[in-house]
Amino acid sequence: MSNQLDVFGVGNALVDVLAFVEDQFITEQALDRGVMTLVDTKAQGKILAGLQRDALQLRSGGSAANTMIAIAQSGGTGFYTGKVSQDENGEFYAQDMKAAGIEFEVEPAPLTNGPTGTCVVLTTPDAERTMCTNLGVSSTLAPSDIDVEKLKGCKYSYVEGYLWTGDDPRQACIETMEQSKRHGVKVSFTLSDPFLLHSFRDDFRKVVTDYCDVLFCNADEVRQFLDLEDLDACAQKIADLVDLAFITDSNKGCLVVENKQVVTVEGFPVKPLDTVGAGDAFAGGALYGLTHGYSAAQAARWGNYLGSAIVQIQGPRLEKAPVDQMATILSVKH
C-alpha cells in the first residue's frame, strides 16, 4: 500500500475551552493559579457554569492533536486517533479537526461512558494561564480504536506520552507502535511532560529502545529521563538509544541527535507571551520536514520557527502557519 498520508497521530482528544477571566474568578473557584489541574466532571461543570458562554472560544485540542494540526497547516496530511463522546463537544471536535485538514473518523463513545474531554484554559489580565482538564471519555481510548488500514497508509506514526496514564490508552499506544513496525511505518514518540517520567521512566526507555525511530523531548524532559543535568551529556546518551532525537531548549533552539552526531539548530528569539503548545508546534513542523524530504536539521529549523510563532500568541494553535516563510527558513544550510 502506498503511503497516502504523512502522519498517523494518537493522543487525547480534548476540547480546549478558552476564556478570559478576572483574578477574582480564579480565587472564587479555588483553583491553583498558573498550573494545569486534573478535575472530575462535576468540578469541570462548576467552572463552566461560572463562565459567560458567549465569551468562550472552542478549539479541538490535546497535545498530539495540536501537532497534527501544525503538520496540516504546514501543507502535510494526517489521520488522528482520539476518543470523543456522542455529545455536542464530540461533534465539534470531529468537525474542527476535519476543518483543520486532519482526518478524524474514530467511532464516538456512548454518552453513558462519559463526556468528551475538556481543558478549560482561563487567561487572566496578566496573560497567566490556569488550566483545568477533565479527560472524560478520552481516557477510554483502546487498541480496537486503532485503524490499522489507515496506519499502514502513513509514513510515520506519532504517539504522545500523556496516554501512558491510563491502561487502555497505553495499550492503544503499544498497538500503534507494534503495527507500525509490522508495516514499515516509522515510529515517533514524545515524552510529553517531565511529571510523566516519575512514574513511567522505565516504560518510556523500553518504548524508545524497542520501537522508536524518532524521539521528541525538551531539555527538562530528557534530563529527567536520563537523570543527568548536563544537556550535552544527555544528547550523547540519547544517541545510544535512538537513531534520531530532537531536544528542544526554549529560545536556544534545539539539539538534533542523528546517527550518534549532535547538531545545534539555532532558535528564533522572540518575546514569549504564552509557551503552551510550543513543543507541539515544533514536533508538527519537524514531522512535516521529515515527511517531505528535508534533512533533520532543516526539519528542526521549521519546527523552531513554528514554535517561536506559537509563543507570541495566546493558545496552543496558530490560526494558520507562516508557510510563506518556509522556503526561506528551510534554505538555510547546516
Side-chain angles (χ1 to χ4, degrees):
M1 183 176 180
S2 61
N3 294 122
Q4 300 164 343
L5 297 173
D6 295 327
V7 181
F8 183 97
V10 185
N12 284 316
L14 303 173
V15 172
D16 289 333
V17 183
L18 312 179
F20 290 94
V21 298
E22 297 298 326
D23 293 304
Q24 183 180 354
F25 185 83
I26 305 295
T27 303
E28 289 172 348
Q29 296 287 336
L31 300 173
D32 290 332
R33 180 182 170 84
V35 301
M36 192 281 284
T37 304
L38 288 174
V39 297
D40 60 22
T41 301
K42 183 178 179 181
Q44 190 79 301
K46 180 174 178 290
I47 295 165
L48 288 169
L51 297 171
Q52 295 296 319
R53 290 279 173 174
D54 57 355
L56 301 181
Q57 295 184 52
L58 301 182
R59 298 282 190 277
S60 54
S63 174
N66 291 329
T67 291
M68 296 302 295
I69 289 169
I71 293 169
Q73 289 180 332
S74 298
T77 57
F79 183 94
Y80 186 64
T81 299
K83 201 70 173 176
V84 297
S85 191
Q86 292 176 342
D87 57 12
E88 187 176 346
N89 279 341
E91 179 63 24
F92 167 81
Y93 193 96
Q95 294 304 318
D96 197 45
M97 288 295 287
K98 292 172 184 175
I102 294 296
E103 294 187 31
F104 183 86
E105 300 171 6
V106 179
E107 187 69 25
L111 190 53
T112 52
N113 290 11
T116 296
T118 54
C119 179
V120 178
V121 183
L122 305 170
T123 303
T124 43
D126 61 354
E128 182 73 79
R129 290 159 61 83
T130 300
M131 294 182 287
C132 305
T133 300
N134 173 30
L135 292 173
V137 81
S138 71
S139 62
T140 69
L141 182 73
S144 58
D145 293 312
I146 304 302
D147 187 331
V148 177
E149 288 303 311
K150 283 290 186 182
L151 174 60
K152 287 162 60 176
C154 294
K155 300 170 186 173
Y156 281 75
S157 58
Y158 179 75
V159 177
E160 67 173 48
Y162 282 123
L163 290 174
W164 234 256
T165 58
D167 291 340
D168 284 346
R170 185 185 314 130
Q171 291 305 314
C173 293
I174 294 171
E175 172 72 3
T176 300
M177 293 184 284
E178 291 272 8
Q179 294 289 350
S180 294
K181 287 300 182 188
R182 189 168 297 150
H183 297 291
V185 178
K186 291 190 174 182
V187 175
S188 57
F189 180 70
T190 172
L191 298 182
S192 291
D193 197 294
F195 86 84
L196 294 169
L197 281 310
H198 292 291
S199 301
F200 305 113
R201 184 187 302 178
D202 290 343
D203 282 8
F204 284 0
R205 180 175 285 268
K206 182 173 174 59
V207 165
V208 171
T209 55
D210 290 358
Y211 299 110
C212 202
D213 295 295
V214 184
L215 177 67
F216 290 94
C217 55
N218 64 29
D220 290 338
E221 289 159 3
V222 78
R223 288 181 176 118
Q224 186 74 31
F225 183 52
L226 299 173
D227 198 22
L228 289 171
E229 189 58 37
D230 183 82
L231 193 57
D232 291 327
C234 288
Q236 295 297 333
K237 184 78 171 177
I238 214 75
D240 294 331
L241 302 178
V242 66
D243 290 337
L244 177 59
F246 296 95
I247 305 172
T248 57
D249 191 17
S250 189
N251 63 357
K252 297 176 184 176
C254 81
L255 299 179
V256 177
V257 184
E258 185 176 25
N259 298 324
K260 298 190 183 299
Q261 301 296 313
V262 182
V263 175
T264 300
V265 178
E266 298 295 329
F268 296 83
V270 295
K271 185 177 180 180
L273 175 66
D274 176 3
T275 59
V276 172
D280 301 335
F282 173 89
L287 284 168
Y288 171 82
L290 292 177
T291 53
H292 285 76
Y294 294 101
S295 70
Q298 287 176 306
R301 188 165 169 81
W302 181 239
N304 282 342
Y305 192 71
L306 291 187
S308 72
I310 277 286
V311 301
Q312 296 179 76
I313 66 168
Q314 288 183 320
R317 175 171 141 192
L318 295 169
E319 288 298 322
K320 65 176 184 175
V323 290
D324 58 324
Q325 299 297 316
M326 187 183 294
T328 302
I329 299 300
L330 294 179
S331 67
V332 174
K333 303 297 182 183
H334 291 273

